[in-house]
Amino acid sequence: MPLLAVGLVLVTSAPRDRLVVGTLVALGVSWLGDSAPDLVDGDAAFLVLVGLVLCAQLTYIVALRPHRRSSVLRTRPWVVGLYTFAVFAMVAVCASAAGILVVPVAIYASCVGE
């Protein structure tokens, strides 16, 4: 994630627009999501990872909001149907093994599709 952020900074010029700044913030939070679970054990580590990566996804949603009219939601709504089917299938397959963690996984999967 740091290398992606450096690359983005190098190919853009100041002042950076909302999309670039939002992407940089999301990359930083994603990096925390990759690193922070090492500080926690067990299921809590998974929740930290999912929580931080979810925050990164929400940051991407906010950064990309001005471009929503050209998103796949508007241009190819059938793709959203396929994604929705995949989310339900994943949750159904994982539910018995994931136990209580199926709730954060389902929330995360639905936000990634935004």
Side-chain angles (χ1 to χ4, degrees):
M1 295 301 163
L3 290 175
L4 289 172
V6 168
L8 183 58
V9 167
L10 291 175
V11 299
T12 59
S13 58
R16 291 175 178 82
D17 65 10
R18 172 185 176 153
L19 180 59
V20 173
V21 172
T23 301
L24 289 170
V25 170
L27 288 170
V29 176
S30 294
W31 185 38
L32 282 175
D34 289 341
S35 306
D38 293 339
L39 305 174
V40 185
D41 292 327
D43 288 347
F46 176 73
L47 291 174
V48 167
L49 178 138
V50 170
L52 287 169
V53 175
L54 174 60
C55 288
Q57 292 299 327
L58 294 173
T59 303
Y60 283 123
I61 290 168
V62 170
L64 290 164
R65 185 161 169 71
H67 305 280
R68 68 187 175 277
R69 286 186 179 83
S70 60
S71 79
V72 71
L73 291 170
R74 306 255 184 192
T75 60
R76 285 175 253 137
W78 61 270
V79 173
V80 177
L82 288 175
Y83 182 81
T84 302
F85 174 78
V87 167
F88 280 109
M90 178 193 68
V91 171
V93 169
C94 296
S96 63
I100 191 73
L101 294 178
V102 75
V103 174
V105 168
I107 292 169
Y108 173 78
S110 65
C111 288
V112 169
E114 274 298 310

